[in-house]
Amino acid sequence: MQVMVRENNVDQALRVLKKKLQREGVFREMKLRRAYEKPSERRVREKAEAVRRARKLARKQAQREGLLPTPPKRSARPGKPRAAESAATARVG
């Protein structure tokens, strides 16, 4: 995996790398491998994950078909305004 560092902005590159690792499931894999997991525990965990995925898929399908209401859209970061928004308000104010 490779992340480009632009304008010596290592913090931004680190955030991008962490996000990529999170998406790939590397952190979850590391947590699982931290301690031995018995085969019976592994089967139970995998079965629970499969049930969770199936329920999520069914919920999304029901929302698409109009059987369930769709959840309201959340803003990206409620506490922090985006750069474009803060720049626009700075010019106006």
Side-chain angles (χ1 to χ4, degrees):
M1 192 170 297
Q2 189 175 18
V3 176
M4 301 299 290
V5 178
R6 296 183 188 152
E7 299 174 11
N8 288 332
N9 196 346
V10 179
D11 292 331
Q12 168 111 19
L14 191 59
R15 275 198 308 271
V16 170
L17 177 64
K18 283 183 180 180
K19 190 177 283 189
K20 282 186 177 185
L21 291 173
Q22 181 75 32
R23 277 195 207 121
E24 292 292 321
V26 173
F27 294 126
R28 178 180 289 140
E29 186 78 20
M30 285 172 33
K31 185 177 177 183
L32 286 173
R33 290 177 186 258
R34 200 172 289 158
Y36 178 73
E37 184 178 27
K38 289 170 39 179
S40 60
E41 292 172 346
R42 180 177 173 210
R43 280 192 299 272
V44 168
R45 177 181 52 81
E46 288 177 350
K47 177 78 172 176
E49 288 174 358
V51 167
R52 211 172 297 120
R53 278 193 308 271
R55 283 185 182 156
K56 184 176 182 179
L57 190 83
R59 185 173 58 248
K60 293 227 180 234
Q61 184 68 28
Q63 286 174 348
R64 270 189 245 114
E65 293 173 357
L67 301 173
L68 288 175
T70 56
K73 296 271 184 180
R74 293 187 297 170
S75 62
R77 286 187 227 166
K80 287 185 162 181
R82 282 191 238 134
E85 292 172 358
S86 62
T89 56
R91 278 186 245 136
V92 173

